[in-house]
Short mmCIF file of all heavy atoms in Angstrom, two decimals:
data_model
loop_
_atom_site.label_atom_id
_atom_site.label_comp_id
_atom_site.label_asym_id
_atom_site.label_seq_id
_atom_site.Cartn_x
_atom_site.Cartn_y
_atom_site.Cartn_z
N ALA H 22 -2.56 1.09 -6.73
CA ALA H 22 -3.97 1.14 -6.30
C ALA H 22 -4.24 2.40 -5.48
O ALA H 22 -5.29 3.05 -5.65
CB ALA H 22 -4.32 -0.10 -5.48
N ILE H 25 -4.26 5.51 -7.81
CA ILE H 25 -5.51 5.54 -8.57
C ILE H 25 -6.66 5.97 -7.67
O ILE H 25 -7.48 6.82 -8.05
CB ILE H 25 -5.78 4.16 -9.21
CG1 ILE H 25 -4.78 3.91 -10.33
CG2 ILE H 25 -7.22 4.06 -9.72
CD1 ILE H 25 -4.76 2.47 -10.83
N CYS H 26 -6.74 5.39 -6.48
CA CYS H 26 -7.82 5.71 -5.56
C CYS H 26 -7.80 7.20 -5.18
O CYS H 26 -8.83 7.87 -5.19
CB CYS H 26 -7.73 4.83 -4.31
SG CYS H 26 -9.16 4.97 -3.22
N LYS H 29 -8.98 9.27 -8.18
CA LYS H 29 -10.42 9.11 -8.43
C LYS H 29 -11.25 9.76 -7.33
O LYS H 29 -12.31 10.31 -7.61
CB LYS H 29 -10.75 7.63 -8.60
CG LYS H 29 -10.23 7.10 -9.92
CD LYS H 29 -10.84 5.79 -10.28
CE LYS H 29 -10.32 5.40 -11.66
NZ LYS H 29 -11.23 4.52 -12.35
N GLU H 33 -14.46 12.83 -7.30
CA GLU H 33 -15.81 12.53 -6.80
C GLU H 33 -16.54 13.83 -6.48
O GLU H 33 -15.91 14.86 -6.21
CB GLU H 33 -15.74 11.64 -5.55
CG GLU H 33 -15.24 10.23 -5.80
CD GLU H 33 -16.23 9.37 -6.57
OE1 GLU H 33 -17.44 9.66 -6.56
OE2 GLU H 33 -15.76 8.39 -7.19
N CYS H 85 -10.48 3.28 3.36
CA CYS H 85 -11.09 2.97 2.06
C CYS H 85 -12.33 2.10 2.21
O CYS H 85 -13.29 2.24 1.45
CB CYS H 85 -10.07 2.30 1.14
SG CYS H 85 -8.87 3.45 0.43
N HIS H 88 -15.77 3.63 2.32
CA HIS H 88 -16.36 4.13 1.08
C HIS H 88 -16.55 3.02 0.04
O HIS H 88 -17.04 3.28 -1.05
CB HIS H 88 -15.47 5.23 0.48
CG HIS H 88 -15.03 6.25 1.48
ND1 HIS H 88 -15.88 7.21 2.00
CD2 HIS H 88 -13.83 6.44 2.09
CE1 HIS H 88 -15.22 7.95 2.88
NE2 HIS H 88 -13.98 7.51 2.95
N ALA H 89 -16.14 1.82 0.39
CA ALA H 89 -16.11 0.71 -0.57
C ALA H 89 -17.48 0.32 -1.11
O ALA H 89 -17.59 -0.15 -2.25
CB ALA H 89 -15.44 -0.50 0.06
N ALA H 90 -18.52 0.53 -0.34
CA ALA H 90 -19.87 0.13 -0.78
C ALA H 90 -20.35 0.93 -1.98
O ALA H 90 -21.13 0.44 -2.79
CB ALA H 90 -20.86 0.28 0.37
N HIS H 91 -19.86 2.16 -2.13
CA HIS H 91 -20.33 3.00 -3.23
C HIS H 91 -19.23 3.50 -4.16
O HIS H 91 -19.50 4.26 -5.08
CB HIS H 91 -21.17 4.17 -2.69
CG HIS H 91 -20.46 5.01 -1.69
ND1 HIS H 91 -20.34 4.64 -0.38
CD2 HIS H 91 -19.84 6.20 -1.81
CE1 HIS H 91 -19.67 5.58 0.27
NE2 HIS H 91 -19.36 6.52 -0.56
N MET H 92 -17.99 3.06 -3.92
CA MET H 92 -16.88 3.45 -4.81
C MET H 92 -15.98 2.25 -5.05
O MET H 92 -15.30 1.78 -4.13
CB MET H 92 -16.09 4.60 -4.20
CG MET H 92 -16.82 5.91 -4.25
SD MET H 92 -15.80 7.28 -3.68
CE MET H 92 -16.42 7.44 -2.02
N ASP H 93 -15.98 1.76 -6.29
CA ASP H 93 -15.18 0.58 -6.63
C ASP H 93 -13.69 0.80 -6.43
O ASP H 93 -12.98 -0.11 -6.02
CB ASP H 93 -15.45 0.15 -8.08
CG ASP H 93 -16.81 -0.48 -8.25
OD1 ASP H 93 -17.40 -0.94 -7.24
OD2 ASP H 93 -17.29 -0.53 -9.40
N HIS H 94 -13.21 2.01 -6.70
CA HIS H 94 -11.78 2.27 -6.54
C HIS H 94 -11.37 2.16 -5.07
O HIS H 94 -10.27 1.67 -4.77
CB HIS H 94 -11.35 3.61 -7.14
CG HIS H 94 -12.10 4.79 -6.65
ND1 HIS H 94 -11.72 5.51 -5.55
CD2 HIS H 94 -13.22 5.39 -7.13
CE1 HIS H 94 -12.56 6.52 -5.38
NE2 HIS H 94 -13.49 6.46 -6.32
N CYS H 95 -12.23 2.56 -4.15
CA CYS H 95 -11.93 2.41 -2.72
C CYS H 95 -11.99 0.93 -2.31
O CYS H 95 -11.17 0.48 -1.52
CB CYS H 95 -12.89 3.23 -1.87
SG CYS H 95 -12.53 5.00 -1.87
N LYS H 96 -12.93 0.21 -2.87
CA LYS H 96 -13.03 -1.22 -2.58
C LYS H 96 -11.77 -1.95 -3.03
O LYS H 96 -11.18 -2.73 -2.27
CB LYS H 96 -14.26 -1.81 -3.27
CG LYS H 96 -14.46 -3.28 -2.99
CD LYS H 96 -15.69 -3.81 -3.69
CE LYS H 96 -15.82 -5.31 -3.40
NZ LYS H 96 -16.91 -5.91 -4.14
N LEU H 97 -11.35 -1.70 -4.25
CA LEU H 97 -10.14 -2.34 -4.77
C LEU H 97 -8.91 -1.93 -3.96
O LEU H 97 -8.08 -2.77 -3.61
CB LEU H 97 -9.94 -1.97 -6.24
CG LEU H 97 -8.67 -2.50 -6.88
CD1 LEU H 97 -8.66 -4.02 -6.90
CD2 LEU H 97 -8.51 -1.95 -8.29
N CYS H 98 -8.81 -0.67 -3.64
CA CYS H 98 -7.67 -0.17 -2.87
C CYS H 98 -7.61 -0.85 -1.51
O CYS H 98 -6.55 -1.29 -1.07
CB CYS H 98 -7.75 1.34 -2.73
SG CYS H 98 -6.26 2.09 -2.02
N ALA H 99 -8.74 -0.95 -0.84
CA ALA H 99 -8.79 -1.61 0.47
C ALA H 99 -8.33 -3.06 0.37
O ALA H 99 -7.56 -3.54 1.21
CB ALA H 99 -10.20 -1.54 1.05
N GLU H 100 -8.77 -3.76 -0.66
CA GLU H 100 -8.39 -5.17 -0.83
C GLU H 100 -6.89 -5.31 -1.05
O GLU H 100 -6.24 -6.17 -0.44
CB GLU H 100 -9.15 -5.77 -2.02
CG GLU H 100 -10.63 -5.95 -1.75
CD GLU H 100 -11.44 -6.29 -3.01
OE1 GLU H 100 -10.85 -6.40 -4.11
OE2 GLU H 100 -12.67 -6.44 -2.88
#
Side-chain angles (χ1 to χ4, degrees):
I25 290 168
C26 189
K29 288 195 176 205
E33 291 290 337
C85 283
H88 313 287
H91 56 281
M92 287 186 260
D93 288 340
H94 55 89
C95 284
K96 181 180 179 185
L97 176 63
C98 189
E100 290 169 0

